[in-house]
Amino acid sequence: MLGPGKADLLEHIAETGSISGAGRAMGMSYKRAWSLVEEMNAAFREPLVLSVRGGASGGGASLSDTGEAVLAHYRKVVALAASAAKDEIAAIRALLSDIPDEK
Amino acid sequence: MLGPGKADLLEHIAETGSISGAGRAMGMSYKRAWSLVEEMNAAFREPLVLSVRGGASGGGASLSDTGEAVLAHYRKVVALAASAAKDEIAAIRALLSDIPDEK
């Protein structure tokens, strides 16, 4: 329903105020960005992204209240998961040939 | 370094005793399965998958001790993460248009 790619797209839409701007920021085609937005809007009870086509400004997009809520929940999922699994992730990292820096 | 696809592949290699068998079980080409195994083996200090080519049986593959350890850690990561994020995930599910069954 939602993964890192779609969550990033929601964040970029909130930041840039447009679907095309968000796609551009992520190196994603406009078509792909739209298709992901349509998938998300169809998957949830209320659309996550509200968009206005056309007009002088070329249209724009923003997150609905549901979109903001879903994104906030998603961020918490990631934070809670990372924190709970910290030691196990460290154990896997320790077995890597090049131990990556902590981000 | 490791995600659900690679972890599943490790599990199937352990079950089937071969990389081609594991790929088949996952609807993945032999070439793709081998390429993922090579990535994993290169990423870790010790190879995760040990393989024997050829012979009467057509070769076989198994997980190394490191492979077993990494898979066990990965399973714990998933279980701990799911458990920690349970309420937030439920909050997202409740906003879906068709609430999927719990698996």
Side-chain angles (χ1 to χ4, degrees), chain A residues 1-2 41-46 66 69-70 72-74 76-77 80-82 84-85 88-89 91-99, chain B residues 1-2 41-46 66 69-70 72-74 76-77 80-82 84-85 88-89 91-99:
Chain A
M1 54 186 177
L2 197 67
N41 281 356
F44 287 88
R45 247 170 238 277
E46 312 276 346
T66 303
V70 166
H73 287 306
Y74 182 83
K76 281 188 205 157
V77 167
L80 290 165
E88 295 296 329
I89 292 169
I92 297 176
R93 274 171 180 273
L95 294 168
L96 288 171
S97 28
D98 288 306
I99 299 174
Chain B
M1 54 185 176
L2 197 69
N41 280 356
F44 287 87
R45 246 171 240 276
E46 312 275 346
T66 302
V70 166
H73 286 305
Y74 182 83
K76 280 187 206 157
V77 167
L80 289 166
E88 296 296 328
I89 292 169
I92 297 176
R93 276 172 180 272
L95 296 168
L96 288 171
S97 28
D98 287 306
I99 300 173

Side-chain angles (χ1 to χ4, degrees), chain A residues 2-59:
Chain A
L2 197 67
K6 285 177 179 169
D8 281 358
L9 184 60
L10 291 179
E11 280 189 4
H12 281 98
I13 289 169
E15 276 168 33
T16 63
S18 87
I19 294 172
S20 56
R24 217 158 31 234
M26 298 175 70
M28 186 186 280
S29 73
Y30 181 69
K31 197 178 158 188
R32 172 86 180 134
W34 252 101
S35 144
L36 291 175
V37 165
E38 280 172 354
E39 268 179 38
M40 286 189 276
N41 281 356
F44 287 88
R45 247 170 238 277
E46 312 276 346
L48 306 191
V49 176
L50 305 173
S51 60
V52 183
R53 278 178 198 256
S57 64

